[in-house]
Every structure is written in C-alpha cells, then in structure tokens.
C-alpha cells in the first residue's frame, strides 16, 4: 500500500520526469524551422499581385515562423525576363541582408522564382547559403513553348487541344481565357520556353543537371542547391484551378519529360539535390494554393516547406 509519503514522492518523481520532456518538446516544436540564416521566398510568374506576396505562399511563412524560422517575402514583376526579375530580387536580398544583419540567406523560389534565386546565387554566392527550386522550369516548359508559338493567334484561330492549353494558361496566370496575352506576359514567357531556359542555363548553369533527368551539382561556389516538385493535376475537387492545370498538362503529351505538375515537367524541375520530384501536387498545390485546397491524403505542402527548413537547419544553413 502506498502511504501519503510514497504518493508525494511518486508524484514528485513523475513531475520531475515529465517536466524536462515537456520542456524538450516545447523547445523542439519552436525551433524545428530555426535555420541559421533567414529564409527568403521568391514567387513565380502569376497574376497574384492583387493578393500580395504573403498569400502567394498560403500558410507557409506563418508555419515556419511558428517554428522559429525567420522568413522574408519578396515581390518582383509577375511578367518579365529571368534577368530582370533576378535583378529585382537581388536588390531586395541586399536590403534583407542589411536589415537583418545576417551574413547569408537561404533562397527558395517557386516556378519562375527558380530562375530568380539561381540568378542571385550566381551573382553573390558568398552571401547565399542555399538556393531551392520548387516546381521550377529549369529546362523550360512545353506549355510556354506552345503559348509562345501561337501567341499571335486569338479566339477562333485556336481550336481543340491547343486552344484549351492556351485558355488554361490564361486562366492560371489570371488573364481572361482566350484573349490575346499582353506583351509583357509574352516577354516573360520567352524565359520559360525551352529555348529561353537553355539560354539562361548557359549563363547561369549552377545546379542544373547535365543529364536529362538526374541531380545537378549539390554545391557550387559554396551554395547548396535543392529542388522538389509534383506530378499531378486534379488533386482537390473544390479547387477551380485544377481544371486549367489539367488542360495545360496536355502540352506534355508525347514529350520525353511527360510527367508534369500542369506547367513544369518532372525532369525540368530538377536542380541540385532533388529531394522529391513526384509529390501528389499540381503546380499551385506546391505553394498550398488555392487557399489550402490540395490533396488531402498525402504530404501537406506546408509540411514539405517545414521539413525543408529543418533540413537546412540540420545542414548548418
Ligand atoms: Ca490546389
């Protein structure tokens, strides 16, 4: 039988055992995304200006900050060349370095933001700890090729699959489907064609695989390179953007790099250390869009970012 003294002793012992583990759990939870260097997010080509850079990464910055991460959001032209967008990001990264006092930053770019972070990492590698591409069209996109090819055509001139691909692209980037794309969009679009991407890669090759579908160099000039992407279209019945992404995905039919997220091929997304290239995500699921409507039964895009922050932390970055 336990005496009162025994009970007090036992209770004290249990509390003593519980307290450090609770403290440890709390510490673990709050520092999981606490990287050594701040994380800087760079958005892609899209008509997201109206909702601003915060909501582009739906729920992601808040999640990282809740786990000890320091996150900076950037905003560049929605539609412009990789170089112009890269220069815009460079100026913002210089500001972030000055404001934060950090010696380096970790860059993460989605979609055309991949070229932006690669540009900055190439221009000032000494100040960049890592560059990560999420759904990045590093070797271009057949959707861009097709839209670029037919951009002079409008309305009734576009029929069948080609028309639905162009309309789908228009819907995704926030323009009226079927209308002629504005010239600034076309200028930016060229950067994402196979030809435009190859031209950029000749000048900024760091991390880009030299094989058709392998990893790229994991470290170039001291900068670590990473990437991930998805290969699905219809992932959530409530998300209106899934249908246009399935339409643009038709541009990949017959291509060697045929698996895609609706806009970017699986192999084209590869940069540096390929973390995974077949998540059950479409191009916008990758940034938890639209408003968190993603596939319910597999990896949450927010968790993928969270785990990457932890990966950077564990790498001392
Ligand atoms: Ca979605």
């Amino acid at each position: 039988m336990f005496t009162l003294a025994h009970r007090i002793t036992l209770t004290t012992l249990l509390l003593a055992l519980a307290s450090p583990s609770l403290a440890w759990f709390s510490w673990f939870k709050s520092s999981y995304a606490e990287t050594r260097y701040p994380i800087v997010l760079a958005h892609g080509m899209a008509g997201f200006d109206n909702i601003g850079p915060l909501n582009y990464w739906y729920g992601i910055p808040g999640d990282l900050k809740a786990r000890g991460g320091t996150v900076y959001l950037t905003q560049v032209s929605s539609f412009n060349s990789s170089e112009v967008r890269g220069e815009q990001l460079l100026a913002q990264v210089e500001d972030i370095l000055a404001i934060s006092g950090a010696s380096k930053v970790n860059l993460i770019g989605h979609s055309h933001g991949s070229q932006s972070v690669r540009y900055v990492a190439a221009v000032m590698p000494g100040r960049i700890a890592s560059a990560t591409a999420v759904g990045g069209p590093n070797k271009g996109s057949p959707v861009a090729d097709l839209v670029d090819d037919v951009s002079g055509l409008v309305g009734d001139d576009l029929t069948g699959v080609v028309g639905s691909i162009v309309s789908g692209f228009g819907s995704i980037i926030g323009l009226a489907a079927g209308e002629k794309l504005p010239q600034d969009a076309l200028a930016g679009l060229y950067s994402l064609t196979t030809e435009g991407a190859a031209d950029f890669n000749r000048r900024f090759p760091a991390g880009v695989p030299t094989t058709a579908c392998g990893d790229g160099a994991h470290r170039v000039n001291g900068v670590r390179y990473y990437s991930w992407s998805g290969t699905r279209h219809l992932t959530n019945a409530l998300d209106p953007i899934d249908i246009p992404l399935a339409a643009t995905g038709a541009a990949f039919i017959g291509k060697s790099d045929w698996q895609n997220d609706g806009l970017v091929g699986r192999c084209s997304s590869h940069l540096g250390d390929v973390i995974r290239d077949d998540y059950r995500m479409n191009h916008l699921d990758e940034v938890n869009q639209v408003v968190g409507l993603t596939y319910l039964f597999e990896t949450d895009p927010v968790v993928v970012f969270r785990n990457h922050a932890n990966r950077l932390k564990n790498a001392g970055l």
Side-chain angles (χ1 to χ4, degrees):
M1 292 294 286
F2 283 120
T3 63
L4 182 60
H6 278 125
R7 285 179 191 168
I8 291 168
T9 307
L10 184 63
T11 306
T12 308
L13 183 65
L14 287 172
L15 281 172
L17 284 170
S19 300
S21 57
L22 283 172
W24 180 85
F25 179 73
S26 155
W27 170 83
F28 177 79
K29 196 180 166 193
S30 67
S31 69
Y32 188 74
E34 192 177 352
T35 54
R36 179 177 176 187
Y37 305 111
I39 291 171
V40 176
L41 301 175
H43 68 80
M45 167 200 272
F48 279 113
D49 283 354
N50 56 335
I51 60 170
L54 175 60
N55 285 338
Y56 183 95
W57 310 87
Y58 191 78
I60 293 166
D63 183 84
L64 296 177
K65 287 175 186 174
R67 286 162 179 77
T70 303
V71 183
Y72 290 89
L73 300 162
T74 58
Q75 187 158 24
V76 301
S77 298
S78 283
F79 304 106
N80 223 314
S81 69
S82 299
E83 286 83 351
V84 168
R85 289 166 44 94
E87 275 296 312
Q88 292 172 343
L89 180 63
L90 178 66
Q92 290 170 53
V93 169
E94 285 171 341
D95 286 347
I96 290 164
L97 286 165
I99 291 164
S100 67
S103 58
K104 295 184 179 188
V105 291
N106 290 297
L107 303 173
I108 304 178
H110 175 243
S111 193
H112 199 190
S114 170
Q115 274 84 351
S116 308
V117 303
R118 289 171 47 201
Y119 181 93
V120 176
V123 171
M124 53 174 188
R127 307 301 301 274
I128 307 301
S130 70
T132 299
V134 180
N138 297 302
K139 291 187 177 175
S141 165
V143 179
D145 291 344
L146 188 145
V147 175
D148 191 54
D149 283 349
V150 303
S151 59
L153 306 176
V154 288
D156 294 343
D157 294 334
L158 297 177
T159 55
V161 174
V162 172
S164 68
I165 292 168
V166 175
S167 296
F169 184 75
S171 301
I172 292 161
I173 62 173
L175 300 168
E179 288 183 12
K180 189 175 180 179
L181 297 167
Q183 194 56 40
D184 58 349
L186 293 176
L189 187 70
Y190 176 73
S191 289
L192 300 183
T193 62
T194 303
E195 185 182 293
D199 178 51
F200 183 78
N201 292 348
R202 275 190 287 276
R203 283 171 287 122
F204 302 95
V208 178
T210 52
T211 55
C213 203
D215 275 24
H218 290 195
R219 186 197 294 264
V220 181
N221 292 333
V223 180
R224 302 283 289 267
Y225 287 85
Y226 302 92
S227 59
W228 74 79
S229 66
T231 51
R232 300 297 176 115
H233 301 146
L234 305 172
T235 58
N236 190 308
L238 298 176
D239 192 338
I241 211 75
D242 283 21
I243 301 293
L245 281 167
T248 52
F252 292 80
I253 293 171
K255 306 290 181 187
S256 56
D257 187 18
W258 60 275
Q259 290 176 287
N260 67 88
D261 65 4
L263 287 176
V264 177
R266 183 173 68 85
C267 302
S268 181
S269 76
H270 288 194
L271 183 76
D273 185 352
V274 180
I275 292 157
R276 187 173 161 183
D277 63 2
D278 65 347
Y279 280 114
R280 201 172 181 121
M281 299 177 189
N282 62 39
H283 195 66
L284 291 179
D285 289 338
E286 289 157 1
V287 283
N288 202 30
Q289 295 288 2
V290 173
V291 295
L293 294 172
T294 61
Y295 188 67
L296 294 174
F297 306 107
E298 210 184 82
T299 313
D300 182 341
V302 176
V303 175
V304 174
F305 274 86
R306 185 192 303 162
N307 290 344
H308 188 51
N310 185 251
R311 181 179 295 112
L312 297 173
K313 177 190 171 184
N314 290 337
L317 304 176

